[in-house]
Amino acid sequence: MIVFKAPQDKVLSVLQSIAGIVERRHTLPILANVLLRKTGNILQLTTSDLEVQIRTTADLGGDAAEDFATTIGARKLIEILRTFQPDQVVTLEAAQERFILKGGKSRFTLQSLPASDFPLVQESPNFGPAFSIPQAVLKHLLGQVSFAMAVQDIRYYLNGILFVAEGRTLSLVATDGHRLAFASATLDADVPKQEVILPRKTVLELQRLLRDARNDRGDDVAMIQFQFANNQAKLSFNGLEFVTKLVEGKFPDYNRVIPVGYRHSVTLGRQALQASLQRMTIMTSDKFKGVRLHFEPGLLRISSANAEQEEAQDELEIDYGGEKVESGFNVSYLLDVLSNMQQDMVTITFEDGSSSALLSTPDDANFKYVVMPMRI
């Protein structure tokens, strides 16, 4: 029986869309496989890591006479397919408990595991109302906040992004306890308030898969649909059905972290500030990434030093007439946000040397980035 018979680029594209969550090493060997379930000409492909499950369907030819299901190593299948030419027809044929992958004169015999052993994610029966947003908008929002997520923090609720849907607004928030990024966008319809935390792995996979598709008028055309339950989220886009567990726990009250009423504000060129900070990074160490920002009328002086008593200093002319303020910050946290901004100008709002700084952009009121000071 022929499972599929199609051009290499078509088969590879389908497999790559679902294989990103497949771990190279897992306690359950079958989770390294892709579940193939064939019904007529339609082939359903599913991958899972017990936390996230991705499913898609495709018409990849093959025999339509018999329905069947099996699992085959996902990454090995992809690695073999990559060795073939994009326009080359590849065939996967069932031969008892093994499968034969053919392309041109090449032939690979692959082992399989029973489909009945594949641990599918049990979907929640109580998903809330669905809402949609252009993929390009979500991709932009994720790019604005994802770098602020924690990485394997003991406070597990920080290892992801908070999604808050309320009314006609979708807000995304990420923090690692030292800095916080907030971004929001407008929805097409009113939705009841829902708050969930999508895990880090899900966020990174979304960033890989989301499309920035627009029509000839520049309108967003590729959409993504969300549905939330108490412990799961279901996302549908690009022919994929994406089910993921949510991070349990109480996310910090981000509204209390974002400062309001700070007296001092400076707007300057993002690239000039970024270049200056990159120069100052040279004199920091891996263990200590501190830089000093000295604000005074008409001037921003940035300085850094290291344990070898080496120093660096740079100056930028700014439109500022307030009092002198000196603050210390982790330069990596500043460079992270500047490198993920697309605007030409950045606004820094601050109060005194011991307060957090708020970074934003003059033309985007829906983005805010808060970075805590550090003692230098």
Side-chain angles (χ1 to χ4, degrees):
M1 177 183 176
I2 298 177
V3 182
F4 61 71
K5 185 177 182 179
Q8 177 263 10
D9 55 346
K10 185 175 182 180
V11 179
L12 185 60
S13 176
V14 173
L15 280 168
Q16 287 178 327
S17 69
I18 62 169
I21 63 170
V22 176
E23 302 286 356
R24 294 191 179 275
R25 294 183 180 180
H26 209 289
T27 53
L28 290 177
I30 199 168
L31 291 178
N33 288 13
V34 54
L35 172 63
L36 304 176
R37 192 179 300 277
K38 191 170 177 66
T39 306
N41 282 328
I42 301 302
L43 185 64
Q44 184 186 80
L45 303 92
T46 306
T47 55
S48 173
D49 68 352
L50 299 181
E51 302 287 330
V52 186
Q53 176 177 290
I54 306 179
R55 175 178 290 152
T56 191
T57 57
D59 185 351
L60 298 177
D63 294 337
E66 183 182 352
D67 297 347
F68 88 106
T70 190
T71 75
I72 299 177
R75 295 195 179 276
K76 188 172 292 183
L77 202 55
I78 288 174
E79 288 172 3
I80 295 171
L81 287 169
R82 283 174 175 161
T83 66
F84 298 143
Q85 296 299 316
D87 57 350
Q88 188 173 20
V89 174
V90 294
T91 304
L92 182 66
E93 184 176 343
Q96 296 180 345
E97 293 183 358
R98 296 187 178 188
F99 289 82
I100 300 172
L101 181 63
K102 299 178 183 177
K105 295 184 179 181
S106 301
R107 175 188 176 104
F108 298 83
T109 302
L110 303 172
Q111 289 282 9
S112 65
L113 291 172
S116 58
D117 293 343
F118 193 86
L120 294 171
V121 172
Q122 188 68 36
E123 293 187 23
S124 171
N126 301 313
F127 281 104
F131 64 92
S132 298
I133 188 171
Q135 291 186 42
V137 174
L138 180 60
K139 190 170 186 176
H140 178 63
L141 292 179
L142 291 173
Q144 287 183 301
V145 305
S146 61
F147 61 88
M149 286 187 295
V151 181
Q152 296 181 337
D153 197 295
I154 191 172
R155 297 163 294 179
Y156 51 89
Y157 48 85
L158 300 184
N159 300 317
I161 290 181
L162 175 69
F163 279 63
V164 182
E166 182 176 14
R168 288 180 172 266
T169 302
L170 175 65
S171 301
L172 273 63
V173 189
T175 180
D176 61 4
H178 303 286
R179 38 62 182 287
L180 179 145
F182 169 94
S184 65
T186 303
L187 300 173
D188 292 335
D190 284 313
V191 296
K193 185 173 183 179
Q194 304 171 74
E195 290 190 18
V196 301
I197 305 173
L198 290 190
R200 179 182 180 85
K201 184 173 183 177
T202 299
V203 170
L204 297 178
E205 192 63 16
L206 279 175
Q207 288 183 289
R208 185 180 75 87
L209 294 171
L210 289 171
R211 296 174 182 170
D212 189 2
R214 301 174 186 271
N215 59 21
D216 294 338
R217 299 189 304 273
D219 301 323
D220 299 312
V221 292
M223 305 293 288
I224 178 169
Q225 183 186 78
F226 288 89
Q227 281 184 282
F228 297 139
N230 288 333
N231 61 345
Q232 281 183 348
K234 182 188 290 185
L235 295 75
S236 302
F237 62 105
N238 301 345
L240 301 173
E241 184 183 88
F242 202 111
V243 178
T244 175
K245 287 186 178 180
L246 300 174
V247 179
E248 297 181 2
K250 179 65 175 176
F251 200 85
D253 184 356
Y254 59 92
N255 287 310
R256 295 180 60 183
V257 178
I258 300 174
V260 178
Y262 275 5
R263 294 175 297 160
H264 309 300
S265 179
V266 173
T267 299
L268 68 162
R270 178 183 63 85
Q271 291 182 339
L273 177 59
Q274 184 178 2
S276 180
L277 289 171
Q278 287 171 337
R279 287 191 289 270
M280 297 303 99
T281 304
I282 298 170
M283 287 302 174
T284 63
S285 63
D286 292 337
K287 292 184 178 180
F288 187 76
K289 288 286 187 180
V291 295
R292 292 181 183 273
L293 272 59
H294 313 250
F295 295 93
E296 56 186 83
L299 189 67
L300 168 59
R301 184 180 299 108
I302 306 174
S303 62
S304 63
N306 58 32
E308 286 76 34
Q309 298 185 337
E310 297 174 321
E311 299 178 354
Q313 182 174 298
D314 201 5
E315 295 182 351
L316 296 173
E317 294 183 1
I318 56 174
D319 183 11
Y320 175 68
E323 63 188 52
K324 291 184 179 181
V325 176
E326 179 182 327
S327 295
F329 296 99
N330 185 316
V331 68
S332 297
Y333 295 162
L334 297 176
L335 287 172
D336 280 346
V337 65
L338 294 174
S339 61
N340 282 279
M341 285 181 174
Q342 299 174 352
Q343 295 82 358
D344 293 332
M345 306 299 288
V346 58
T347 298
I348 305 175
T349 307
F350 52 96
E351 180 67 16
D352 54 42
S354 60
S355 302
S356 60
L358 172 64
L359 279 73
S360 57
T361 57
D363 54 352
D364 186 1
N366 295 322
F367 171 73
K368 297 178 177 67
Y369 179 76
V370 182
V371 57
M372 301 302 294
M374 66 182 296
R375 189 174 299 173
I376 300 178

